[in-house]
Amino acid sequence: MKTILIAGSSSGIGYELANLYLKKSYHVIGIARNEPLKFAKHEKYTHLKIDLKDNSNILILSNFLKSNFY
């Protein structure tokens, strides 16, 4: 299964990209401060409530990626 990580997936370009890749059967890991309502419960969508301006949140993201993809 192909997986893509998209920052800003709750609105705008990030939201549209997440939607596009879900339609192409990718597993989408979305990063945003807010959860997108349209595909929040999609079986191939994983949401991480993260603010990339906060260094501690970047550590959370790093740990998530290490534990799931290495």
Side-chain angles (χ1 to χ4, degrees):
M1 176 186 327
K2 294 181 181 179
T3 302
I4 188 164
L5 177 69
I6 299 176
S9 62
S10 66
S11 64
I13 294 170
Y15 177 87
E16 294 301 329
L17 284 171
N19 198 28
L20 174 75
Y21 281 103
L22 285 170
K23 288 179 182 176
K24 293 183 176 199
S25 296
Y26 277 65
H27 178 228
V28 175
I29 301 170
I31 301 169
R33 291 175 289 179
N34 301 307
E35 192 166 348
L37 299 177
K38 182 177 178 183
F39 44 80
K41 298 196 190 289
H42 192 287
E43 62 191 29
K44 292 187 177 185
Y45 181 80
T46 302
H47 183 76
L48 299 174
K49 186 174 181 177
I50 289 181
D51 183 353
L52 292 175
K53 292 184 276 181
D54 184 343
N55 289 339
S56 65
N57 280 243
I58 294 172
L59 182 60
I60 292 168
L61 173 60
S62 175
N63 289 335
F64 172 82
L65 294 174
K66 284 179 188 176
S67 67
N68 288 284
F69 297 100
Y70 290 107

